[in-house]
Amino acid sequence: MKKISLFFCVLAAVALVSGTTPGTVQAKKLSLNYANFPPAPTFPCVQMERWKEQIEKRTDGAVAINTFPGGTLLDAKDMMDGVINGQADIGCICMAYQPGRFTVTNATSLPLDIPDAKTGSLVLLDLYNKYQPKAFDKVKVLTMFVTAPANIMSKAPVAELSDLKGLDLRASGGAAQILKAWGANQVGMPMSDTPEALQKGVVKGLFSSLEVMKDLKFAEICKYITITDTVIYPFAVIMNKSVWDNLPGHVKQVMDSMIEEQAAWTGEYMDQHVSDSIAWSKKEHQVEVIRLSPEKKAEWNAKLAPITENWIKTAEEKGLPGEQIVKDIKTLVVKRTAK
Ligand code: DTR
């Protein structure tokens, strides 16, 4: 009898302290806000949902990730500083939108023949790990990935360099120089502003990876694709530094263990999705795919040679080992393609 009443006393004390009955006592759930700039169906947001799902599962529900696609929390241009300032805990940035800020990692968006998104994503991560660029000093990197190589999507067919002359094409960041080198009239804006610009006729096409033909329904407007497979765009997912510092050890471990896995997953998803998007665009919207002959491709590529040379010069002026970075990317592409 005495034993039983002691048990109930302890039970009552626990209930009093926790404000509930024992057995329903729960550790406080950690809630993190994740901002993304493009619309929900696009690949940066698809990878965000996959990461959220995996983190919530692998931390046994100790962490909840609230996702904000479509620039509802932070838009493309405010993403990096917004995360540094704590407006969002996590954010997804397209580094190519700020070529001068992410010099080292943006070297992956030079015309260096990165063959696909999976290889590119792993090369980018290797490059980041090797150089630990200062641009990321104020954040924790949760993953990095790249797009599939960029191609031309246009309202009118583009088969010759002369078709590009003065043509208003949207491209952002480093790819701007490529369109200029080919003689097009490059119009810069983030992907999130492109659907409206295409609809209003502000631009006559764009230069990007082809999954957007399906995800943003550009196939309804752009009836032609010209395959150039020129450059990729690098992305990073970053976390506010003090939020990271205050995470419990086991949560940090789960997030760290997903850095490379998420890069590879996103690269694979992107590569597959580009194939699906081309097939869908042909079938549903009778989009025509124009392929350049090897001679023409060589002629187009020759125009791009000075871009890498100029980048090396600018990087070295900033005190960065530009030549070595380009060499590293080429070596890493071979290493990561072989795997
Ligand atoms: N190529 C870059 C990045 C990019 C490619 N697909 C998407 C989808 C949504 C946002 C960005 C991107 C660009 O053209 O902006």
Side-chain angles (χ1 to χ4, degrees), residues 209-262:
S209 45
L210 295 174
E211 88 293 348
V212 285
M213 287 291 276
K214 184 173 183 193
D215 293 345
L216 293 175
K217 306 270 182 293
F218 290 160
E220 289 172 2
I221 300 179
C222 298
K223 297 296 175 193
Y224 299 92
I225 291 172
T226 307
I227 303 289
T228 62
D229 277 345
T230 318
V231 286
I232 57 83
Y233 281 69
F235 281 70
V237 178
I238 42 142
M239 181 184 264
N240 176 279
K241 200 59 179 276
S242 71
V243 170
W244 170 258
D245 289 341
N246 287 307
L247 285 180
H250 72 281
V251 173
K252 283 183 177 170
Q253 240 169 36
V254 170
M255 289 183 180
D256 269 338
S257 75
M258 277 189 65
I259 295 176
E260 184 165 330
E261 179 196 315
Q262 183 72 9

Side-chain angles (χ1 to χ4, degrees), residues 41-59:
T42 60
F43 90 100
C45 294
V46 172
Q47 73 76 37
M48 167 171 79
E49 294 303 329
R50 187 264 172 181
W51 188 84
K52 163 197 161 82
E53 194 190 297
Q54 291 299 316
I55 292 293
E56 289 179 349
K57 196 160 105 196
R58 295 181 199 192
T59 57

